[in-house]
Coordinates of all heavy atoms in Angstrom, one line a residue:
M1 N 64.6 195.0 111.3 CA 64.2 193.7 111.4 C 65.4 192.8 111.3 O 66.3 193.1 110.4 CB 63.2 193.4 110.3 CG 62.7 192.0 110.3 SD 61.1 192.0 109.5 CE 60.5 190.5 110.1
T2 N 65.5 191.8 112.1 CA 66.7 190.9 112.0 C 66.3 189.5 111.7 O 65.2 189.1 111.9 CB 67.4 190.9 113.4 OG1 66.5 190.4 114.3 CG2 67.9 192.3 113.8
D3 N 67.3 188.8 111.1 CA 67.0 187.4 110.8 C 67.9 186.6 111.8 O 68.5 187.1 112.7 CB 67.3 187.0 109.3 CG 68.8 187.3 109.0 OD1 69.5 187.9 109.8 OD2 69.1 187.1 107.8
A4 N 68.1 185.3 111.5 CA 68.9 184.4 112.4 C 70.4 184.8 112.5 O 71.1 184.5 113.5 CB 68.7 183.0 112.0
L5 N 70.8 185.4 111.4 CA 72.3 185.8 111.4 C 72.6 187.2 111.8 O 73.7 187.5 112.0 CB 72.8 185.6 109.9 CG 72.7 184.2 109.4 CD1 73.1 184.2 107.9 CD2 73.5 183.3 110.2
G6 N 71.6 188.0 112.0 CA 71.9 189.3 112.5 C 71.0 190.3 111.7 O 70.1 190.0 111.1
S7 N 71.4 191.6 111.8 CA 70.6 192.6 111.1 C 70.8 192.5 109.6 O 71.9 192.3 109.1 CB 71.1 194.0 111.6 OG 70.5 195.0 110.9
I8 N 69.8 192.8 108.9 CA 69.8 192.8 107.4 C 70.4 194.1 106.9 O 71.2 194.1 105.9 CB 68.4 192.6 106.8 CG1 67.8 191.2 107.2 CG2 68.4 192.8 105.3 CD1 66.4 191.0 106.8
D9 N 70.1 195.2 107.6 CA 70.6 196.5 107.2 C 72.0 196.8 107.6 O 72.7 197.6 106.9 CB 69.7 197.6 107.7 CG 68.3 197.4 107.3 OD1 68.1 196.9 106.1 OD2 67.4 197.8 108.0
M10 N 72.6 196.1 108.5 CA 73.9 196.4 109.0 C 74.9 195.4 108.5 O 74.6 194.2 108.2 CB 73.9 196.3 110.6 CG 73.0 197.3 111.2 SD 73.4 199.0 111.0 CE 74.9 199.1 111.9
P11 N 76.2 195.8 108.3 CA 77.2 194.9 107.8 C 77.5 193.9 109.0 O 77.2 194.1 110.1 CB 78.4 195.7 107.5 CG 78.2 197.0 108.3 CD 76.7 197.2 108.4
E12 N 78.1 192.7 108.5 CA 78.4 191.7 109.5 C 79.3 192.2 110.7 O 80.2 193.1 110.5 CB 79.2 190.6 108.8 CG 78.3 189.8 107.8 CD 79.2 188.7 107.1 OE1 80.4 188.6 107.5 OE2 78.6 188.1 106.3
R13 N 79.0 191.7 111.8 CA 79.8 192.1 113.0 C 81.2 191.5 112.9 O 81.4 190.4 112.3 CB 79.2 191.6 114.3 CG 77.9 192.4 114.6 CD 77.4 191.9 116.0 NE 76.2 192.7 116.2 CZ 75.5 192.5 117.3 NH1 75.8 191.5 118.2 NH2 74.4 193.1 117.5
G14 N 82.2 192.1 113.4 CA 83.5 191.6 113.4 C 84.4 192.0 112.2 O 85.5 191.8 112.3
R15 N 83.8 192.5 111.2 CA 84.5 193.0 110.1 C 84.6 194.5 110.1 O 83.6 195.2 110.3 CB 83.9 192.6 108.8 CG 84.1 191.1 108.5 CD 83.6 190.9 107.0 NE 84.0 189.6 106.6 CZ 83.8 189.1 105.4 NH1 83.2 189.8 104.5 NH2 84.1 187.9 105.1
S16 N 85.8 195.0 109.9 CA 85.9 196.4 109.8 C 85.7 196.8 108.3 O 85.7 196.0 107.4 CB 87.3 196.9 110.3 OG 88.3 196.4 109.4
E17 N 85.7 198.1 108.1 CA 85.4 198.6 106.7 C 86.6 198.3 105.8 O 86.6 198.1 104.6 CB 85.2 200.1 106.7 CG 83.8 200.5 107.3 CD 83.6 202.0 107.4 OE1 84.4 202.7 106.8 OE2 82.7 202.4 108.1
D18 N 87.9 198.3 106.4 CA 89.1 198.0 105.7 C 89.0 196.6 105.2 O 89.4 196.3 104.1 CB 90.3 198.2 106.5 CG 90.5 199.7 106.9 OD1 90.0 200.5 106.2 OD2 91.1 200.0 108.0
E19 N 88.6 195.6 106.0 CA 88.5 194.2 105.6 C 87.6 194.0 104.5 O 87.8 193.2 103.6 CB 88.2 193.3 106.8 CG 89.3 193.3 107.8 CD 88.9 192.4 109.1 OE1 87.6 192.1 109.2 OE2 89.8 192.2 109.9
T20 N 86.4 194.6 104.5 CA 85.5 194.4 103.5 C 86.0 195.1 102.2 O 85.7 194.6 101.1 CB 84.0 195.0 103.8 OG1 84.2 196.4 104.2 CG2 83.4 194.2 105.0
A21 N 86.7 196.2 102.2 CA 87.2 196.8 101.1 C 88.3 196.0 100.5 O 88.4 195.8 99.2 CB 87.7 198.2 101.4
E22 N 89.1 195.3 101.3 CA 90.2 194.4 100.7 C 89.6 193.2 100.1 O 90.1 192.8 99.1 CB 91.1 194.1 101.9 CG 92.0 195.1 102.4 CD 92.9 194.7 103.6 OE1 93.0 193.5 103.8 OE2 93.5 195.5 104.2
S23 N 88.5 192.7 100.6 CA 88.0 191.5 100.1 C 87.3 191.7 98.7 O 87.1 190.9 98.0 CB 87.0 190.8 101.1 OG 85.9 191.6 101.2
Q24 N 86.9 193.0 98.4 CA 86.3 193.3 97.2 C 87.2 193.8 96.1 O 86.9 193.9 95.0 CB 85.3 194.5 97.4 CG 84.1 194.0 98.3 CD 83.2 195.2 98.6 OE1 83.4 196.3 98.2 NE2 82.1 194.9 99.3
K25 N 88.5 193.9 96.4 CA 89.5 194.3 95.4 C 89.8 193.1 94.5 O 89.7 191.9 94.9 CB 90.9 194.6 96.1 CG 90.8 196.0 96.8 CD 92.2 196.2 97.4 CE 92.2 197.5 98.1 NZ 93.5 197.8 98.7
K26 N 90.1 193.4 93.3 CA 90.5 192.3 92.3 C 91.8 191.7 92.7 O 92.7 192.5 93.0 CB 90.5 192.9 90.9 CG 89.2 193.2 90.3 CD 89.3 193.6 88.9 CE 88.0 194.0 88.3 NZ 88.1 194.4 86.9
P27 N 92.0 190.4 92.5 CA 93.3 189.9 92.8 C 94.3 190.3 91.8 O 94.0 190.4 90.6 CB 93.1 188.4 92.8 CG 91.8 188.2 92.0 CD 91.0 189.5 92.2
R28 N 95.5 190.6 92.2 CA 96.5 191.0 91.2 C 97.2 189.8 90.6 O 97.3 188.8 91.2 CB 97.7 191.8 92.0 CG 97.2 193.1 92.5 CD 98.3 193.9 93.1 NE 99.1 193.1 94.0 CZ 100.3 193.5 94.6 NH1 100.7 194.7 94.3 NH2 100.9 192.7 95.4
R29 N 97.4 190.0 89.3 CA 98.2 189.0 88.6 C 99.6 189.3 88.7 O 100.1 190.2 88.1 CB 97.8 188.9 87.1 CG 96.5 188.2 86.9 CD 96.2 188.0 85.5 NE 97.0 186.8 85.0 CZ 96.9 186.3 83.8 NH1 96.1 186.8 83.0 NH2 97.5 185.2 83.5
G30 N 100.3 188.6 89.6 CA 101.7 188.9 89.8 C 102.6 187.8 89.3 O 102.2 186.8 88.8
G31 N 103.9 188.1 89.4 CA 104.9 187.1 89.0 C 105.1 187.0 87.5 O 104.6 187.8 86.7
K32 N 105.8 186.0 87.1 CA 106.1 185.8 85.7 C 105.0 185.4 84.8 O 104.9 185.5 83.6 CB 107.3 184.9 85.6 CG 108.5 185.4 86.2 CD 109.7 184.4 86.1 CE 110.9 184.9 86.8 NZ 112.0 183.9 86.7
R33 N 104.0 184.6 85.5 CA 102.9 184.0 84.7 C 102.1 185.1 84.0 O 101.6 184.9 82.9 CB 102.1 183.2 85.6 CG 101.1 182.4 84.8 CD 100.1 181.6 85.6 NE 100.6 180.9 86.7 CZ 99.9 180.2 87.6 NH1 98.6 180.2 87.5 NH2 100.5 179.6 88.5
G34 N 101.9 186.2 84.7 CA 101.0 187.2 84.1 C 101.6 188.0 83.0 O 100.9 188.6 82.2
K35 N 102.9 187.9 82.8 CA 103.6 188.6 81.8 C 103.9 187.9 80.5 O 104.2 188.4 79.5 CB 104.9 189.2 82.4 CG 104.7 190.1 83.5 CD 106.0 190.6 84.1 CE 105.8 191.5 85.3 NZ 107.1 191.9 85.9
K36 N 103.7 186.6 80.6 CA 104.0 185.7 79.4 C 102.8 185.6 78.5 O 101.7 185.6 78.9 CB 104.5 184.3 79.9 CG 105.8 184.3 80.6 CD 106.2 182.9 80.9 CE 107.5 182.9 81.6 NZ 108.0 181.6 81.9
G37 N 103.1 185.5 77.2 CA 102.1 185.3 76.2 C 101.7 183.8 76.2 O 102.3 182.9 76.8
P38 N 100.7 183.5 75.3 CA 100.2 182.2 75.3 C 101.2 181.1 74.8 O 101.3 180.0 75.2 CB 99.0 182.2 74.3 CG 99.1 183.5 73.6 CD 100.0 184.4 74.5
F39 N 102.1 181.5 73.8 CA 103.1 180.6 73.3 C 104.2 180.3 74.3 O 104.7 179.2 74.4 CB 103.6 181.1 72.0 CG 102.6 181.1 70.9 CD1 102.2 182.3 70.3 CD2 102.1 179.9 70.3 CE1 101.3 182.3 69.3 CE2 101.2 179.9 69.3 CZ 100.8 181.1 68.8
A40 N 104.5 181.3 75.1 CA 105.5 181.1 76.1 C 105.0 180.2 77.2 O 105.7 179.4 77.7 CB 105.9 182.4 76.7
R41 N 103.7 180.4 77.5 CA 103.1 179.5 78.6 C 103.0 178.0 78.0 O 103.2 177.1 78.8 CB 101.7 180.0 79.0 CG 101.8 181.3 79.8 CD 100.5 181.6 80.4 NE 99.4 181.7 79.4 CZ 98.6 182.7 79.2 NH1 98.7 183.8 79.9 NH2 97.7 182.6 78.2
L42 N 102.7 177.9 76.7 CA 102.7 176.6 76.1 C 104.0 175.9 76.2 O 104.2 174.7 76.4 CB 102.1 176.7 74.7 CG 101.8 175.4 74.0 CD1 100.7 174.6 74.8 CD2 101.4 175.6 72.6
A43 N 105.0 176.7 75.9 CA 106.4 176.2 75.9 C 106.8 175.8 77.3 O 107.5 174.7 77.5 CB 107.4 177.1 75.3
L44 N 106.4 176.5 78.3 CA 106.7 176.3 79.6 C 106.0 175.0 80.1 O 106.6 174.1 80.7 CB 106.3 177.4 80.6 CG 106.4 177.1 82.1 CD1 107.9 177.0 82.5 CD2 105.8 178.3 82.8
F45 N 104.8 174.8 79.7 CA 104.0 173.6 80.0 C 104.7 172.4 79.3 O 104.9 171.3 80.0 CB 102.6 173.7 79.4 CG 101.8 172.5 79.6 CD1 101.4 172.1 80.9 CD2 101.5 171.7 78.5 CE1 100.6 170.9 81.0 CE2 100.8 170.5 78.6 CZ 100.3 170.1 79.9
Y46 N 105.1 172.5 78.1 CA 105.9 171.4 77.4 C 107.1 171.0 78.1 O 107.4 169.9 78.3 CB 106.1 171.8 76.0 CG 106.8 170.7 75.2 CD1 106.2 169.5 74.8 CD2 108.2 170.9 74.9 CE1 106.9 168.6 74.1 CE2 108.9 169.9 74.2 CZ 108.3 168.8 73.8 OH 108.9 167.8 73.1
R47 N 107.9 172.0 78.5 CA 109.2 171.8 79.2 C 108.9 171.1 80.6 O 109.6 170.2 81.0 CB 110.0 173.0 79.5 CG 110.6 173.6 78.2 CD 111.6 174.7 78.6 NE 111.1 175.8 79.3 CZ 110.6 176.9 78.8 NH1 110.5 177.0 77.5 NH2 110.0 177.8 79.6
Q48 N 107.8 171.5 81.2 CA 107.5 170.8 82.5 C 107.0 169.4 82.3 O 107.4 168.5 83.1 CB 106.4 171.6 83.3 CG 106.9 172.9 83.8 CD 105.8 173.8 84.4 OE1 104.6 173.5 84.1 NE2 106.1 174.8 85.1
V49 N 106.3 169.2 81.2 CA 105.9 167.8 80.9 C 107.1 166.9 80.7 O 107.2 165.8 81.2 CB 104.9 167.7 79.7 CG1 104.7 166.3 79.2 CG2 103.6 168.3 80.1
V50 N 108.0 167.3 79.9 CA 109.2 166.6 79.6 C 110.0 166.3 80.8 O 110.5 165.2 81.0 CB 110.1 167.3 78.5 CG1 111.4 166.6 78.3 CG2 109.3 167.3 77.2
A51 N 110.1 167.4 81.7 CA 110.9 167.2 83.0 C 110.2 166.1 83.8 O 110.9 165.3 84.5 CB 111.0 168.5 83.7
E52 N 108.9 166.1 83.9 CA 108.2 165.1 84.7 C 108.4 163.7 84.1 O 108.5 162.7 84.8 CB 106.7 165.4 84.9 CG 106.4 166.6 85.8 CD 106.9 166.3 87.2 OE1 106.7 165.2 87.7 OE2 107.4 167.3 87.8
L53 N 108.3 163.6 82.8 CA 108.5 162.3 82.2 C 109.9 161.7 82.4 O 110.1 160.5 82.4 CB 108.2 162.4 80.6 CG 106.7 162.5 80.3 CD1 106.6 162.7 78.8 CD2 106.0 161.2 80.7
R54 N 110.9 162.6 82.5 CA 112.2 162.1 82.8 C 112.4 161.5 84.2 O 113.2 160.7 84.5 CB 113.3 163.3 82.7 CG 113.5 163.6 81.2 CD 114.6 164.6 81.1 NE 114.8 165.0 79.7 CZ 115.1 166.2 79.3 NH1 115.2 167.1 80.1 NH2 115.2 166.4 78.0
K55 N 111.5 161.9 85.1 CA 111.5 161.4 86.5 C 110.8 160.0 86.6 O 111.0 159.3 87.6 CB 110.7 162.3 87.4 CG 111.3 163.7 87.6 CD 110.5 164.6 88.4 CE 111.0 165.9 88.5 NZ 110.1 166.8 89.4
V56 N 110.0 159.6 85.5 CA 109.3 158.3 85.6 C 110.3 157.2 85.5 O 111.2 157.2 84.7 CB 108.3 158.3 84.4 CG1 107.6 156.9 84.4 CG2 107.3 159.4 84.6
V57 N 110.0 156.2 86.4 CA 110.8 155.0 86.3 C 110.1 154.0 85.4 O 109.0 153.5 85.7 CB 111.0 154.3 87.7 CG1 111.8 153.0 87.7 CG2 111.7 155.4 88.7
W58 N 110.6 153.8 84.2 CA 110.0 153.0 83.2 C 110.3 151.5 83.5 O 111.4 151.2 83.9 CB 110.4 153.3 81.8 CG 110.1 154.7 81.5 CD1 110.9 155.8 81.6 CD2 108.8 155.2 81.0 NE1 110.2 156.9 81.2 CE2 108.9 156.6 80.9 CE3 107.6 154.6 80.8 CZ2 107.9 157.4 80.4 CZ3 106.5 155.3 80.3 CH2 106.7 156.7 80.1
P59 N 109.3 150.6 83.3 CA 109.6 149.2 83.6 C 110.4 148.5 82.5 O 110.4 149.1 81.4 CB 108.2 148.5 83.6 CG 107.3 149.5 82.8 CD 107.9 150.8 83.0
S60 N 111.2 147.5 82.8 CA 111.9 146.8 81.9 C 111.0 146.0 81.0 O 109.8 145.8 81.2 CB 113.0 145.9 82.5 OG 112.3 144.9 83.3
R61 N 111.6 145.4 79.9 CA 110.7 144.6 79.0 C 110.2 143.4 79.7 O 109.0 143.0 79.5 CB 111.6 144.1 77.8 CG 110.8 143.5 76.7 CD 111.6 143.2 75.5 NE 112.0 144.4 74.8 CZ 111.4 145.0 73.9 NH1 110.2 144.6 73.5 NH2 111.8 146.1 73.3
S62 N 110.9 142.7 80.5 CA 110.3 141.5 81.3 C 109.3 142.0 82.3 O 108.2 141.3 82.4 CB 111.5 140.8 82.0 OG 112.1 141.6 83.0
Q63 N 109.4 143.1 83.0 CA 108.4 143.5 83.9 C 107.1 143.9 83.1 O 106.1 143.6 83.6 CB 108.9 144.8 84.6 CG 109.9 144.5 85.7 CD 110.5 145.7 86.4 OE1 110.5 146.8 85.6 NE2 110.9 145.6 87.6
L64 N 107.3 144.5 81.9 CA 106.2 144.9 81.2 C 105.4 143.7 80.7 O 104.2 143.7 80.7 CB 106.6 145.8 80.0 CG 105.6 146.4 79.1 CD1 104.7 147.4 80.0 CD2 106.2 147.2 78.0
S65 N 106.1 142.7 80.2 CA 105.4 141.5 79.8 C 104.7 140.7 80.9 O 103.6 140.2 80.8 CB 106.3 140.5 79.1 OG 107.4 140.1 79.9
T66 N 105.3 140.8 82.1 CA 104.7 140.2 83.3 C 103.4 140.9 83.7 O 102.4 140.3 83.9 CB 105.7 140.2 84.5 OG1 106.8 139.5 84.1 CG2 105.0 139.6 85.7
Y67 N 103.5 142.2 83.7 CA 102.3 143.1 84.0 C 101.2 142.9 83.0 O 100.1 142.8 83.4 CB 102.7 144.6 84.1 CG 103.7 144.9 85.2 CD1 104.5 146.1 85.0 CD2 103.9 144.1 86.3 CE1 105.4 146.4 86.0 CE2 104.8 144.5 87.3 CZ 105.5 145.6 87.1 OH 106.4 146.0 88.1
T68 N 101.6 142.8 81.7 CA 100.6 142.6 80.7 C 99.9 141.3 80.8 O 98.6 141.2 80.7 CB 101.2 142.8 79.3 OG1 101.9 144.0 79.2 CG2 100.2 142.7 78.2
S69 N 100.7 140.3 81.1 CA 100.0 138.9 81.2 C 99.1 138.8 82.4 O 98.1 138.3 82.4 CB 101.1 137.8 81.2 OG 101.9 138.0 82.3
V70 N 99.5 139.5 83.5 CA 98.7 139.5 84.7 C 97.4 140.2 84.4 O 96.3 139.7 84.8 CB 99.4 140.2 85.9 CG1 98.5 140.5 87.0 CG2 100.5 139.3 86.4
V71 N 97.4 141.3 83.7 CA 96.2 142.0 83.4 C 95.3 141.3 82.5 O 94.1 141.2 82.7 CB 96.6 143.4 82.8 CG1 95.3 144.1 82.2 CG2 97.2 144.3 83.8
I72 N 95.9 140.6 81.5 CA 95.1 139.8 80.5 C 94.4 138.6 81.3 O 93.2 138.3 81.1 CB 95.9 139.3 79.4 CG1 96.3 140.5 78.5 CG2 95.2 138.2 78.6 CD1 97.3 140.2 77.4
V73 N 95.1 137.9 82.2 CA 94.6 136.8 82.9 C 93.5 137.3 83.8 O 92.4 136.7 83.9 CB 95.7 136.1 83.7 CG1 95.1 135.1 84.8 CG2 96.6 135.4 82.8
F74 N 93.7 138.5 84.5 CA 92.6 139.0 85.4 C 91.4 139.4 84.6 O 90.3 139.1 85.0 CB 93.2 140.3 86.1 CG 92.2 140.9 87.0 CD1 91.8 140.4 88.2 CD2 91.5 142.1 86.6 CE1 90.9 141.0 89.0 CE2 90.6 142.7 87.4 CZ 90.3 142.2 88.6
V75 N 91.5 140.0 83.4 CA 90.4 140.3 82.6 C 89.6 139.1 82.1 O 88.4 139.1 82.1 CB 90.8 141.2 81.4 CG1 89.7 141.4 80.3 CG2 91.2 142.6 81.9
V76 N 90.3 138.1 81.7 CA 89.7 136.8 81.3 C 88.9 136.2 82.5 O 87.8 135.7 82.3 CB 90.7 135.8 80.7 CG1 90.1 134.4 80.6 CG2 91.3 136.3 79.4
I77 N 89.4 136.2 83.7 CA 88.7 135.6 84.8 C 87.5 136.5 85.1 O 86.4 135.9 85.4 CB 89.6 135.6 86.1 CG1 90.7 134.6 85.9 CG2 88.9 135.4 87.3 CD1 91.8 134.6 86.9
I78 N 87.6 137.8 85.0 CA 86.4 138.6 85.3 C 85.3 138.4 84.1 O 84.1 138.4 84.5 CB 86.8 140.1 85.4 CG1 87.7 140.3 86.6 CG2 85.6 141.0 85.4 CD1 87.0 140.0 87.9
I79 N 85.8 138.3 82.9 CA 84.8 138.0 81.8 C 84.1 136.7 82.1 O 82.9 136.6 82.0 CB 85.5 138.0 80.5 CG1 85.9 139.4 80.1 CG2 84.6 137.3 79.4 CD1 86.8 139.4 78.8
G80 N 84.8 135.7 82.6 CA 84.2 134.4 82.9 C 83.2 134.5 84.0 O 82.1 134.0 84.0
L81 N 83.6 135.2 85.0 CA 82.7 135.4 86.2 C 81.4 136.2 85.8 O 80.2 135.8 86.2 CB 83.4 136.2 87.3 CG 82.7 136.5 88.6 CD1 82.4 135.1 89.3 CD2 83.5 137.4 89.5
V82 N 81.5 137.2 85.0 CA 80.4 138.0 84.6 C 79.5 137.1 83.7 O 78.2 137.2 83.8 CB 80.8 139.3 83.9 CG1 79.6 140.0 83.2 CG2 81.4 140.3 84.9
T83 N 80.1 136.3 82.8 CA 79.3 135.4 82.0 C 78.5 134.4 82.8 O 77.3 134.2 82.5 CB 80.2 134.7 81.0 OG1 81.0 135.7 80.3 CG2 79.5 133.8 80.0
V84 N 79.1 133.8 83.8 CA 78.4 132.8 84.6 C 77.2 133.5 85.4 O 76.1 133.0 85.4 CB 79.4 132.2 85.6 CG1 78.6 131.4 86.7 CG2 80.3 131.3 84.9
I85 N 77.5 134.7 85.9 CA 76.5 135.5 86.6 C 75.3 135.9 85.7 O 74.1 135.7 86.0 CB 77.0 136.7 87.3 CG1 77.9 136.3 88.5 CG2 75.9 137.6 87.8 CD1 78.7 137.4 89.1
D86 N 75.7 136.3 84.5 CA 74.6 136.7 83.5 C 73.8 135.4 83.1 O 72.6 135.6 82.9 CB 75.3 137.3 82.3 CG 74.3 137.7 81.2 OD1 73.4 138.5 81.6 OD2 74.5 137.5 80.0
L87 N 74.4 134.3 82.8 CA 73.7 133.1 82.5 C 72.7 132.7 83.6 O 71.6 132.3 83.3 CB 74.6 132.0 82.1 CG 75.3 132.2 80.7 CD1 76.4 131.1 80.5 CD2 74.4 132.2 79.6
G88 N 73.2 132.8 84.8 CA 72.4 132.4 85.9 C 71.2 133.3 86.1 O 70.0 132.9 86.3
I89 N 71.4 134.6 85.9 CA 70.3 135.6 86.0 C 69.3 135.3 84.9 O 68.1 135.4 85.0 CB 70.8 137.0 86.0 CG1 71.5 137.3 87.3 CG2 69.6 138.0 85.8 CD1 72.2 138.7 87.4
N90 N 69.8 135.0 83.7 CA 69.0 134.8 82.5 C 68.1 133.6 82.8 O 66.9 133.6 82.5 CB 69.9 134.5 81.3 CG 69.1 134.5 80.0 OD1 67.9 134.8 80.0 ND2 69.7 134.1 78.9
R91 N 68.6 132.5 83.3 CA 67.8 131.3 83.6 C 66.8 131.6 84.7 O 65.6 131.1 84.6 CB 68.7 130.2 84.1 CG 69.5 129.6 82.9 CD 70.1 128.3 83.2 NE 70.9 127.9 82.0 CZ 71.3 126.7 81.9 NH1 71.1 125.8 82.8 NH2 72.0 126.4 80.8
V92 N 67.1 132.4 85.7 CA 66.2 132.7 86.8 C 65.0 133.5 86.2 O 63.8 133.3 86.5 CB 66.9 133.5 87.9 CG1 65.8 134.0 88.9 CG2 67.8 132.5 88.7
V93 N 65.3 134.5 85.3 CA 64.3 135.4 84.8 C 63.5 134.5 83.8 O 62.3 134.7 83.8 CB 64.9 136.5 84.0 CG1 63.9 137.3 83.1 CG2 65.6 137.5 85.0
G94 N 64.1 133.6 83.0 CA 63.3 132.7 82.2 C 62.4 131.8 82.9 O 61.3 131.5 82.5
Y95 N 62.8 131.3 84.1 CA 62.0 130.5 84.9 C 60.8 131.3 85.5 O 59.7 130.8 85.6 CB 62.9 129.8 86.0 CG 62.1 129.0 87.0 CD1 61.6 127.7 86.6 CD2 61.8 129.4 88.3 CE1 60.9 126.9 87.5 CE2 61.0 128.6 89.2 CZ 60.6 127.4 88.7 OH 59.9 126.6 89.6
V96 N 61.1 132.5 86.0 CA 60.1 133.3 86.7 C 59.0 133.8 85.7 O 57.8 133.7 85.9 CB 60.7 134.5 87.4 CG1 59.6 135.4 87.9 CG2 61.5 133.9 88.6
F97 N 59.5 134.3 84.5 CA 58.6 135.0 83.6 C 58.2 134.0 82.4 O 57.4 134.4 81.6 CB 59.1 136.3 83.0 CG 59.3 137.3 84.1 CD1 60.5 137.6 84.6 CD2 58.2 137.9 84.6 CE1 60.7 138.6 85.6 CE2 58.3 138.9 85.6 CZ 59.5 139.2 86.1
G98 N 58.9 132.9 82.3 CA 58.6 132.2 81.2 C 58.2 131.0 80.7 O 57.8 130.7 79.8

């Protein structure tokens, strides 16, 4: 008996026995990663983090204060906008239900 994909009893067409055997093998852990212990991997991770942090272009003090003030002003504007919308919805709900 067959379904839409082919025979249930037969293996898929187009695959040889070698290909199915290869796909069922466990992947090998090769390279240096498989041989290191947990502390060595942790040390490697730490060294990689430090190397990436050295690549970061840090802002100057004036740039940082400018960015901070822009963020604070934006947050205050959004707080005001949300407050106005909330008060408006509150009055509409009070008028409808109350």
